[in-house]
Amino acid sequence: MQIVLIGPPGAGKGTQSVRLAEYLQVPHLSTGEMLRDACLRKTDVGLRANEAMQRGQLVPDELVEEILFERLEEKDCQGGSILDGFPRTVPQAVAFDAWLGKHQRPLSTVLELRVNKEELLERLSSRGREDDNREIVLARLDQYDELTHPLLDYYGKRSALHVIDGQGSAEEVFAQICSIVDARK
Ligand code: AMP
């Protein structure tokens, strides 16, 4: 199953997609993790992505697409995967649709994790990642509103989108996700 999780930073995408990947026995692909790894290893993509990431901005679409599409072609992803953090812009979603069409892989479902802003700020301030200081967090939330939020319309229009209430405990949120995913198996 090819599943996409969308949600602002701090909504629990990472936690929930790891669990879902384990449940469905498919790889969990986080573009944020891939990019952080590329930065640490100082690869070509890493060097080009580093500055935007430090500022809490999205990295250019073509960089993320390059790194993700290469990974999706690997053998372990043939049966599907859980995408955590991609697509994050409408142009990325359009490129992803083209990629899926070319590889004859259907998109099973898109899950939106919804959490209100006060709760997000509280969660992010206690996480302690390098890009989690207040100023950068606010920049990342702005980027979400401006660039990622329009994706919800994009997927909503073709009824691929399911909204999950992300405010509850990790168990409650995961139970909602499973009920949607199980119904589509
Ligand atoms: P995340 O771990 O998903 O919160 O991502 C951390 C950072 O990586 C983001 O703030 C962006 O700078 C970058 N990033 C991750 N995924 C994407 C994407 N799909 N498009 C652009 N930038 C991304």
Side-chain angles (χ1 to χ4, degrees), residues 1-2 12-13 15 21 39 45 47 54 68 70 72 84 87 93 96 99 101 113 127 129 142 149 151 157 160 166 177:
M1 290 182 102
Q2 189 57 67
K13 286 192 309 292
T15 311
C39 289
V45 167
L47 292 172
Q54 299 288 340
L68 180 72
E70 206 178 288
L72 281 173
D84 161 8
F96 185 43
W99 188 92
L113 271 182
R127 200 161 70 167
R129 216 170 70 186
D142 280 350
H149 205 260
L151 266 185
K157 277 193 186 122
I177 292 178

Side-chain angles (χ1 to χ4, degrees), residues 31-32 35-36 53 57-59 64 85 88 92 129 140:
T31 44
L35 289 165
R36 279 190 290 279
M53 289 181 76
Q57 311 236 305
L58 294 188
V59 313
V64 194
R88 244 187 171 95
Q92 287 179 18
R129 216 170 70 186
R140 288 165 62 215

